[in-house]
């Protein structure tokens, strides 16, 4: 058992602190006077006021070193959704999260803030202004989502006022911003390969894209409002930009901002989804022989061709959440942060 001294409420740990969201969170926490321990499988940077602990979150002993004298833990580590590796998701998101909870208990941590995902309720069909009381997806769209559901349940069920261990889950959607390794890089790579010519469906579907600083703001508000007598205990909260936007308008603004043409021609949603499913099944069957990574996966097609936007009324009410950076400004900042992805660069 780790030795316990009374932890300071300004000493926290960020599991996954080398990642896209994690690093933005760490930077903001340091600005706000927190002392931060980062626990991650890799060390991506150095920052005054931050101590790095490199390790796998499935390793309880390694975690315990990073959680020593820490009162608040942010858990935002996950394998990338694109890895599509069921065993890895199971090991890290489910078994690993159990280990995180156990290590928090042993180290005397008081609060655990999980980065979940609004996708835990998404089954590939329209969601308009979805609230947190929507049921979890019965048929999650991929392994990533399947394990994020179990992970969220584990964390919320671990909330215990009696034990002095409080938990909350933040459900962001479509995080974007400087240093994001997914959305903008995948989009530009697809455009560079000449595959961003088509709009899937009629292009009117509304989606939430959330600027990373707003997601960070939601996490810190949650940590600071999570108290034994607060409504946050054991609850999930949507955190979005609160400005649903047409999926294809958003993509077009990023593409045009970086000097690429916006997609113009329409393809029927069911046709593209069917092809994507077929390619995914082929990739699965051929996996022992050759590893194929289709660009248009069923998950991406579903995300690109349906309405899915979420209400953050609960976060506004319970923790005073308001997005700090509006969408228009967020897109400008994001485009400016990727000079190397500009056309011709
Ligand atoms: N990006 C998005 O649009 C959304 C993300 N989320 C959630 O937000 C969180 C952060 O996502 P994001 O910042 O985009 O992801 P990143 O991949 O950028 O960050 C995750 C970090 O966790 C690390 N990690 C992975 N496995 C382990 C492990 N076993 N032990 C320790 N560290 C590990 C990763 O290392 P490595 O890179 O080497 O794998 C990476 O540094 C995730 O929980 C994700 O599910 C939710 C909604 C939307
Ligand atoms: C090739 C194009 C049709 C789409 C390019 C952009 C996509 C890479 C992104 C559009 C929506 C994004 C998204 C996620 C990852 C990147 C996108 C698919 C998540 C799956 C990341 C993890 C989550 O928890 C949910 C996100 C939903 C939106």
């Amino acid at each position: 058992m780790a030795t316990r001294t009374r932890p300071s409420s300004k000493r926290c740990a960020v599991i996954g602190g080398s990642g896209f969201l994690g690093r933005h969170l760490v930077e903001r926490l340091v600005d706000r006077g927190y002392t931060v321990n980062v626990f991650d499988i890799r060390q991506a940077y150095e920052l005054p006021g931050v101590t790095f602990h490199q390790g796998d979150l499935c390793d309880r002993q390694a975690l315990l070193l990073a959680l020593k004298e820490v009162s608040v833990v942010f858990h935002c580590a996950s394998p990338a959704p694109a890895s599509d590796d069921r065993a890895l998701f199971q090991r890290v998101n489910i078994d690993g999260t159990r280990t995180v909870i156990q290590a928090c208990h042993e180290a005397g941590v008081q609060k655990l803030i999980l980065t979940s995902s609004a996708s835990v309720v998404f089954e590939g069909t329209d969601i308009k202004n979805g609230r947190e009381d929507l049921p979890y997806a019965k048929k999650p769209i991929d392994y990533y989502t399947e394990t994020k559901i179990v992970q969220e349940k584990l964390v919320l069920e671990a909330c215990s006022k009696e034990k002095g261990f409080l938990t909350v889950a933040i459900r962001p959607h479509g995080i974007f911003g400087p240093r994001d390794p997914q959305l903008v890089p995948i989009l530009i790579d697809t455009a560079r390969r000449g595959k961003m010519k088509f709009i899937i469906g009629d292009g009117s579907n509304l989606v939430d894209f959330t600027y990373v600083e707003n997601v960070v703001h939601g996490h810190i508000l949650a940590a600071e409002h999570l108290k034994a007598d607060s409504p946050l205990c054991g609850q999930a909260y949507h955190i979005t930009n609160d400005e649903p936007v047409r999926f294809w308008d958003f993509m077009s603004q990023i593409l045009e901002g970086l000097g690429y043409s916006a997609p113009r021609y329409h393809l029927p949603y069911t046709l593209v989804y069917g092809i994507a499913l077929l390619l995914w099944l082929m990739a699965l069957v051929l996996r022992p022989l050759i590893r194929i990574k289709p660009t248009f996966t069923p998950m991406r097609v579903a995300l690109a061709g349906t309405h899915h936007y979420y209400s953050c009324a609960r976060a506004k009410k319970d923790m005073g959440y308001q997005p700090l950076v509006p969408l228009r400004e967020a897109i400008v900042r994001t485009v400016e942060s990727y000079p190397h992805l500009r056309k011709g660069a």
Side-chain angles (χ1 to χ4, degrees):
M1 286 278 263
T3 35
R4 289 194 199 175
T5 41
R6 187 158 177 74
S8 148
S9 62
K10 284 263 170 175
R11 183 177 283 275
C12 65
V14 180
I15 304 174
S18 283
F20 164 50
L21 171 65
R23 181 169 174 183
H24 281 276
L25 177 59
V26 170
E27 289 168 348
R28 187 82 191 101
L29 286 165
V30 170
D31 286 349
R32 288 179 64 84
Y34 283 81
T35 305
V36 185
N37 287 352
V38 166
F39 185 90
D40 201 295
I41 209 153
R42 62 190 168 98
Q43 176 170 356
Y45 58 98
E46 282 181 14
L47 197 66
V50 177
T51 308
F52 279 87
H53 296 260
Q54 206 169 336
D56 188 322
L57 62 84
C58 302
D59 177 350
R60 201 177 95 260
Q61 291 304 333
L63 262 179
L64 280 172
L65 293 175
L67 303 192
K68 201 161 172 246
E69 289 170 32
V70 156
S71 76
V72 183
V73 171
F74 297 90
H75 175 10
C76 53
S78 167
S83 70
D84 202 32
D85 181 337
R86 190 177 210 164
L88 181 68
F89 286 128
Q90 163 75 38
R91 192 179 73 78
V92 177
N93 286 350
I94 302 182
D95 304 341
T97 298
R98 281 202 184 93
T99 307
V100 168
I101 294 170
Q102 202 184 348
C104 283
H105 286 317
E106 285 184 35
V109 168
Q110 291 150 18
K111 303 182 191 182
L112 173 61
I113 293 87
L114 171 73
T115 315
S116 180
S117 169
S119 293
V120 295
V121 297
F122 182 61
E123 291 191 321
T125 51
D126 291 343
I127 293 182
K128 297 181 181 176
N129 212 30
R131 291 158 36 133
E132 290 84 349
D133 53 10
L134 282 174
Y136 287 114
K138 286 190 192 66
K139 290 186 199 145
I141 53 170
D142 56 9
Y143 302 139
Y144 164 80
T145 314
E146 196 176 305
T147 57
K148 290 297 281 184
I149 294 173
V150 182
Q151 177 191 52
E152 185 183 284
K153 288 183 184 167
L154 284 172
V155 168
L156 297 183
E157 281 164 11
C159 187
S160 164
K161 292 179 193 175
E162 295 69 37
K163 288 186 187 156
F165 181 60
L166 307 180
T167 66
V168 64
I170 298 300
R171 293 179 178 175
H173 193 267
I175 312 176
F176 72 102
R179 300 194 298 251
D180 162 36
Q182 284 194 100
L183 199 152
V184 176
I186 293 175
L187 181 66
I188 298 306
D189 179 59
T190 313
R192 284 183 171 167
R193 288 186 290 118
K195 290 185 174 177
M196 275 316 287
K197 294 196 172 13
F198 299 100
I199 293 171
I200 301 170
D202 68 4
S204 68
N205 55 308
L206 295 176
V207 173
D208 278 318
F209 288 100
T210 315
Y211 190 58
V212 63
E213 284 184 26
N214 295 328
V215 180
V216 165
H217 180 51
H219 279 70
I220 297 177
L221 280 177
E224 293 180 352
H225 282 76
L226 182 59
K227 308 219 165 74
D229 58 356
S230 74
L232 280 78
C233 298
Q235 293 296 325
Y237 287 88
H238 292 153
I239 291 292
T240 73
N241 244 78
D242 206 21
E243 290 177 79
V245 56
R246 285 174 173 230
F247 180 95
W248 294 99
D249 285 355
F250 179 83
M251 293 300 153
S252 298
Q253 284 177 54
I254 304 263
L255 284 167
E256 288 176 339
L258 288 167
Y260 301 83
S261 307
R264 279 194 296 155
Y265 311 107
H266 290 263
L267 283 176
Y269 175 76
T270 38
L271 173 75
V272 185
Y273 190 83
I275 296 173
L277 202 59
L278 210 67
L279 288 175
W280 182 77
L281 286 171
M282 271 170 57
L284 200 67
V285 172
L286 294 175
R287 198 174 263 190
L289 303 171
I290 170 176
R291 211 162 164 88
I292 310 171
K293 279 207 149 195
T295 307
F296 289 88
T297 60
M299 182 266 279
R300 284 184 194 157
V301 174
L303 289 167
T306 58
H307 291 275
H308 44 105
Y309 58 95
Y310 301 86
S311 161
C312 39
R314 184 187 271 182
K316 288 180 184 172
K317 182 169 146 288
D318 290 353
M319 47 171 129
Y321 172 73
Q322 282 294 340
L324 299 176
V325 186
L327 199 62
R328 184 190 285 265
E329 168 68 16
I331 293 174
V332 171
R333 287 194 205 175
T334 303
V335 165
E336 281 173 358
S337 74
Y338 287 98
H340 56 292
L341 294 186
R342 207 161 258 292
K343 190 163 186 184

